[in-house]
Amino acid sequence: MIRAFLLLFILVSTTIFSQKKLNLIPYPQKVQINEGNFTIPDIIMLSSDLPKEETEYFKKKEGSNLKFQNSGKSDAHLVYSQLPKSTNSQQNDEFYSLEINSKQIVIKSYTKQGYFLALQTLNQLFEEFKNDKQIPALKIEDQPKFAWRGMHLDVCRHFFTVEEVKQYIDYLAMYKLNIFHWHLTDDQGWRIEIKKYPKLTQIGSKRKESMIGAYVDNTFDGKPYGPYFYTQDQVKDVVKYAQDRHITIVPEIEMPGHALAALAAYPELACTKGPFEPATKWGVFDDVFCPKDETFKFLENVLDEVIALFPSKYIHIGGDECPKTRWKECAHCQELIKKNNLKDEHGLQSYFIQRIEKYVNKKGRKIIGWDEILEGGLAPNAAVMSWTGVNGGIEAAKSKHFAVMTPGSFCYFDHYQGDPQSEPNAFGGFTPLDKVYSYNPIPTELNAEQTKYILGVQANLWTEYIEDFKQIQYMIFPRLMALSEVGWGTSDPENYKEFEGRVISQFKVLDKMNVNYAKSIYNVSGKVISNNSGMFYELSTSQNPGGIRYTLDGTDPNANSQAYQKPIPVSKSMTIKSAYFENGQLKSAISSQQFTISKTTGKTITLEQQPSENYSFGGAFTLIDGIIGNQRLLGKTWLGFLGKDVVATIDLGNKTQFSEVYFNTLENKGSWIHMAKSAQIFVSDDNKNFKMIKEIGKDEIQNAKGKIKLNVGNQNSKYIRIKIENAGIIPAGNPGADSKAWLFVDEIGAN
Ligand code: ACM
Ligand code: ZN
């Protein structure tokens, strides 16, 4: 029995491991390689009864490997048969089979969409085997796991032309995504023509200037931006373009928050008189739609025009980040809360969304909104887009509402994908390719029945920091490929390296299309390791580690610089620069890491409360790793604590003399990040009895702009404890008022 089992295992394992995967993304559900080969013809002869438009698409598409020509049936290379309506409950509308034998390619599907997906696969196969023109005989049976495989684009913070949006849609199609979430309205710009309200675009589609650089710099370019918007004719053209590629566009009209551009045009829809201007800063703003009848009439009229333009089942109504500051002080809002027996302003948010839902449902459509639409109770038929984490999706699914999973830490493509120092300016998170690839849209908290409510997965691209289309390409590629395979349901994070190999093969296709993709996966990354013999900087690359070269003298490494062999000792302050080379050619960006060594560096640290999952990077050790968080680049050297204090205790190992303690915090009120309220330093020799040696208040922290250096007198102790007090609840008059503030902290040192 045991022997038979072992033998079986060996057989199975050899068939699995000896067969290299094809260069396909997303990888199909089932691939069977057969005997023989098919010779790729210069022109693919077609049978006459193929879905015409889908075939034409590939015939005309620039860079397509599929050159088609009609022929009589007998000598056709490609034949298609439409399957009768599925009785197989295991197969969905997007199912296709693609069989290649020595003479013919046979595609079967239930729908034209299935046929289109099959041609995308065939196009990738032709690419892979174009050199020797021999494709192995094979049979693919394939369909996506998730019905919602989405990619979002914010055209409000920065605008992208119709031609650019079409290119974006083509990228989605290439990797078999099927939803384009078009974020059309926000504080900084209203981007869709609404015939009944011309001022939305006359006034709301431009702004005086834009914020530039990292948010913390608080600087502006002084350049008027806009008017930029899509006319209804342009929208129709884009909708048709997407339909031709079997992509559904889900339009988003933001309410009740993110409404400044609309209020600039129609100030009577706000709680206060205005006047308002489209925002020039990024962030969250207090002036939001006031839930009065006039506002609902306006929104219904807007939605009428939107619904007429977009045939999608879902209309996205935003719902995120709506401060309640104005509603609290508005007589009408307070009256409405009383009249409808609502609990508070969150109840009013729920009232707002439910009223809109009723209207949208009456028109035969459904609403989807960001997870804050759960506040105060979810509208009866609404779907939830879970972005602040996965809890919104879990809560929705448990109450039998559909959910799309797009948690920030896995699915926000405005985050960095490599070392911030070698990347264009981005939003402060860190979401590299392997992180996206590791995402499983089905939360483990759900049972089988609840799982059915997870519609799928989406990535979002917010464009505060993205000014042109080249950078759009950079931010979505190659992460879009990971999203694609996650949504298709064939991702295999355990074998990430294998996936990365297929990504690198796809780079050739992107090169041909002149796409500016991120080369971050070639980058050398560094990790601080600390053990009994000291602290070291370990360099790694997902490529051949023999290709890493580095310097310690501040110069850029070249192909002849020192080859990396083992972790580099970091015993004094220094800068390590590294890069990846292949055949003498620089492939990566140059990574540079500065170390500032103090008496806490590399010691042992414990935190009373852990940072939030999205901003926990290297855990507590991040605070004493010798790497000082950059206030401009943000990134993964900062730990973020939502509504919590930081209480960190550092064990110096032995009694140690020091007279200065330093630490850093951030301020970025637009992102709800506030300076600490106070800080206290304690010392101890037994880790039980602590003596306070210094206390500072908000003013001192503010004056130091978060870079705190404290003279603590001559100390000689084994333990240092530092308590940094969170600002608590965000005060009125600030973005995010009444919500918990973020406290961001890095590097606690002593000298
Ligand atoms: C969001 O990122 N505010 C949905
Ligand atoms: Zn009001």
Side-chain angles (χ1 to χ4, degrees):
M1 199 52 203
I2 288 175
R3 259 184 24 174
F5 177 75
L6 270 180
L7 184 67
L8 184 70
F9 178 75
I10 290 162
L11 284 176
V12 169
S13 60
T14 48
T15 46
I16 290 174
F17 295 117
S18 64
Q19 186 186 314
K20 184 183 166 297
K21 279 188 175 176
L22 298 163
N23 281 338
L24 299 174
I25 295 180
Y27 209 72
Q29 300 291 350
K30 201 167 150 201
V31 178
Q32 181 192 314
I33 305 289
N34 296 328
E35 289 284 313
N37 285 298
F38 172 80
T39 303
I40 297 179
D42 291 335
I43 303 283
I44 305 166
M45 293 299 175
L46 298 175
S47 68
S48 52
D49 47 2
L50 297 164
K52 201 163 161 234
E53 279 152 15
E54 286 71 15
T55 309
E56 282 294 307
Y57 170 77
F58 282 93
K59 206 164 149 182
K60 291 188 185 143
K61 184 175 139 67
E62 203 186 311
S64 167
N65 296 303
L66 306 182
K67 301 289 168 228
F68 292 124
Q69 193 172 306
N70 289 330
S71 90
K73 251 209 153 114
S74 61
D75 65 343
H77 295 119
L78 174 61
V79 292
Y80 171 69
S81 64
Q82 185 177 0
L83 297 165
K85 185 68 198 136
S86 175
T87 50
N88 181 343
S89 64
Q90 300 300 311
Q91 290 174 356
N92 60 44
D93 277 356
E94 293 181 85
F95 171 87
Y96 69 88
S97 75
L98 169 64
E99 190 168 358
I100 300 179
N101 58 40
S102 57
K103 294 192 190 69
Q104 265 189 332
I105 302 160
V106 181
I107 294 174
K108 294 177 184 165
S109 72
Y110 297 109
T111 61
K112 290 180 178 179
Q113 185 179 10
Y115 173 73
F116 184 77
L117 294 169
L119 289 188
Q120 289 289 13
T121 303
L122 188 65
N123 191 32
Q124 287 189 352
L125 285 171
F126 274 38
E127 177 69 29
E128 178 174 359
F129 295 103
K130 70 180 176 191
N131 289 341
D132 59 5
K133 292 187 180 282
Q134 297 294 307
I135 297 187
L138 53 76
K139 180 162 188 196
I140 289 172
E141 286 181 301
D142 200 15
Q143 66 180 5
K145 176 171 179 183
F146 293 106
W148 187 299
R149 306 181 302 282
M151 189 71 222
H152 148 290
L153 180 65
D154 165 14
V155 294
C156 303
R157 277 52 178 265
H158 285 100
F159 179 78
F160 298 91
T161 64
V162 165
E163 279 318 304
E164 289 165 340
V165 169
K166 286 180 174 176
Q167 269 187 59
Y168 196 80
I169 288 169
D170 272 316
Y171 301 151
L172 271 53
M174 257 174 91
Y175 294 103
K176 301 192 173 99
L177 301 188
N178 66 343
I179 303 276
F180 171 46
H181 172 169
W182 205 358
H183 183 79
L184 287 163
T185 76
D186 215 305
D187 297 302
Q188 296 81 3
W190 183 284
R191 305 281 177 228
I192 176 171
E193 177 191 24
I194 301 294
K195 304 235 191 234
K196 195 158 191 137
Y197 299 108
K199 284 194 281 184
L200 283 173
T201 42
Q202 284 161 7
I203 294 172
S205 78
K206 48 192 182 182
R207 58 179 181 253
K208 268 209 297 237
E209 56 182 352
S210 309
M211 208 168 202
I212 47 171
Y215 190 100
V216 282
D217 294 349
N218 217 5
T219 53
F220 295 84
D221 62 5
K223 285 187 243 166
Y225 191 83
Y228 293 130
F229 64 95
Y230 309 103
T231 65
Q232 293 204 352
D233 282 342
Q234 287 175 320
V235 169
K236 283 180 204 157
D237 178 39
V238 174
V239 168
K240 168 80 171 65
Y241 190 88
Q243 273 173 340
D244 288 348
R245 286 147 186 81
H246 297 280
I247 287 173
T248 301
I249 304 187
V250 175
E252 180 180 357
I253 305 296
E254 273 268 20
M255 64 191 80
H258 288 294
L260 259 186
L263 298 181
Y266 298 97
E268 61 273 23
L269 307 179
C271 290
T272 58
K273 262 176 50 196
F276 307 104
E277 286 183 346
T280 56
K281 267 193 184 198
W282 319 133
V284 173
F285 300 88
D286 281 339
D287 289 296
V288 302
F289 285 121
C290 177
K292 41 192 163 187
D293 288 346
E294 191 180 356
T295 305
F296 287 109
K297 193 69 219 160
F298 164 85
L299 288 170
E300 287 167 11
N301 288 335
V302 167
L303 287 169
D304 280 350
E305 294 191 30
V306 169
I307 285 169
L309 289 167
F310 294 94
S312 59
K313 173 161 132 189
Y314 283 100
I315 302 293
H316 202 300
I317 50 77
D320 60 320
E321 299 178 319
C322 178
K324 308 299 184 290
T325 321
R326 295 289 179 263
W327 291 0
K328 278 191 175 154
E329 289 159 7
C330 169
H332 168 78
C333 287
Q334 291 305 312
E335 187 60 38
L336 200 58
I337 289 176
K338 270 207 214 100
K339 203 174 102 190
N340 290 283
N341 271 328
L342 304 172
K343 193 156 158 262
D344 54 12
E345 291 74 21
H346 293 303
L348 191 53
Q349 155 117 353
S350 173
Y351 168 90
F352 198 116
I353 303 295
Q354 296 205 27
R355 212 165 136 172
I356 292 294
E357 174 178 77
K358 258 199 203 120
Y359 188 78
V360 172
N361 285 173
K362 226 168 55 195
K363 299 238 145 189
R365 307 296 181 90
K366 289 181 183 296
I367 65 162
I368 184 165
W370 302 109
D371 52 54
E372 292 96 323
I373 66 169
L374 285 153
E375 276 176 16
L378 191 53
N381 307 311
V384 169
M385 195 167 259
S386 192
W387 75 279
T388 58
V390 296
N391 289 340
I394 293 170
E395 193 181 331
K398 285 189 171 169
S399 56
K400 298 189 173 5
H401 285 260
F402 287 106
V404 173
M405 304 306 286
T406 177
S409 53
F410 293 93
C411 298
Y412 268 40
F413 288 3
D414 55 339
H415 292 173
Y416 288 105
Q417 53 195 309
D419 176 4
Q421 306 203 44
S422 48
E423 298 253 324
N425 197 12
F427 205 83
F430 181 60
T431 307
L433 184 68
D434 59 341
K435 181 92 192 261
V436 181
Y437 196 63
S438 73
Y439 185 55
N440 180 356
I442 304 287
T444 49
E445 289 86 346
L446 299 183
N447 65 31
E449 186 53 33
Q450 293 160 342
T451 294
K452 292 182 189 151
Y453 288 93
I454 302 297
L455 280 178
V457 62
Q458 176 173 302
N460 299 328
L461 188 56
W462 303 99
T463 56
E464 285 93 337
Y465 298 109
I466 304 176
E467 289 175 34
D468 61 29
F469 197 67
K470 281 281 163 203
Q471 203 182 337
I472 291 277
Q473 295 172 334
Y474 186 93
M475 298 310 273
I476 63 171
F477 283 120
R479 289 184 286 197
L480 179 77
M481 298 182 205
L483 174 74
S484 148
E485 201 152 293
V486 167
W488 202 259
T490 50
S491 57
D492 179 12
E494 302 273 303
N495 287 309
Y496 169 74
K497 287 297 298 177
E498 185 283 328
F499 170 70
E500 198 180 77
R502 281 184 284 132
V503 167
I504 289 171
S505 299
Q506 289 292 314
F507 282 168
K508 289 186 209 110
V509 178
L510 299 183
D511 281 332
K512 205 165 68 176
M513 294 165 62
N514 201 19
V515 169
N516 175 39
Y517 55 90
K519 299 180 181 68
S520 321
I521 58 171
Y522 290 114
N523 284 2
V524 177
S525 51
K527 189 171 144 205
V528 179
I529 49 177
S530 177
N531 57 34
N532 290 342
S533 33
M535 204 173 86
F536 301 85
Y537 198 48
E538 182 180 50
L539 299 180
S540 61
T541 165
S542 60
Q543 316 304 312
N544 169 16
I548 300 177
R549 296 280 184 278
Y550 73 96
T551 66
L552 301 178
D553 62 1
T555 60
D556 286 349
N558 58 43
N560 300 318
S561 300
Q562 179 144 7
Y564 175 78
Q565 276 163 339
K566 59 178 198 288
I568 304 161
V570 183
S571 53
K572 58 180 196 320
S573 296
M574 61 161 118
T575 299
I576 300 175
K577 286 192 170 186
S578 55
Y580 175 71
F581 293 83
E582 243 175 45
N583 305 320
Q585 295 285 316
L586 176 65
K587 291 290 264 191
S588 69
I590 290 173
S591 304
S592 174
Q593 187 56 63
Q594 191 182 341
F595 286 90
T596 306
I597 303 304
S598 89
K599 288 180 178 169
T600 64
T601 314
K603 298 298 192 300
T604 306
I605 182 168
T606 48
L607 282 171
E608 267 182 21
Q609 306 194 77
Q610 296 312 307
S612 294
E613 193 195 325
N614 287 0
Y615 301 99
S616 60
F617 308 112
F621 189 74
T622 306
L623 300 177
I624 51 162
D625 61 1
I627 298 172
I628 295 184
N630 186 311
Q631 298 214 340
R632 288 194 69 255
L633 296 173
L634 308 178
K636 52 181 179 161
T637 53
W638 294 90
L639 298 187
F641 299 79
L642 184 59
K644 293 180 192 167
D645 298 336
V646 172
V647 182
T649 307
I650 299 162
D651 179 352
L652 298 170
N654 299 300
K655 273 175 88 106
T656 304
Q657 295 189 353
F658 60 93
S659 59
E660 178 192 82
V661 172
Y662 62 83
F663 68 91
N664 298 299
T665 75
L666 286 179
E667 177 168 59
N668 185 341
K669 287 185 177 164
S671 301
W672 307 10
I673 302 171
H674 286 248
M675 283 286 185
K677 224 192 243 173
S678 70
Q680 293 150 350
I681 317 288
F682 305 83
V683 290
S684 169
D685 285 331
D686 59 5
N687 202 14
K688 286 196 191 91
N689 302 298
F690 280 87
K691 182 176 85 175
M692 185 164 83
I693 54 166
K694 190 83 183 179
E695 178 165 31
I696 54 166
K698 193 171 169 136
D699 290 348
E700 273 171 278
I701 296 173
Q702 200 81 40
N703 290 342
K705 294 197 157 62
K707 294 184 180 174
I708 322 294
K709 258 190 172 58
L710 300 169
N711 190 330
V712 294
N714 289 330
Q715 303 293 335
N716 187 16
S717 312
K718 183 161 184 279
Y719 295 91
I720 303 177
R721 174 171 292 171
I722 178 161
K723 186 169 175 202
I724 309 172
E725 191 188 2
N726 189 296
I729 298 297
I730 300 174
N734 289 290
D738 292 337
S739 300
K740 290 176 185 168
W742 283 97
L743 171 63
F744 271 77
V745 175
D746 185 40
E747 209 58 12
I748 302 171
N751 282 311

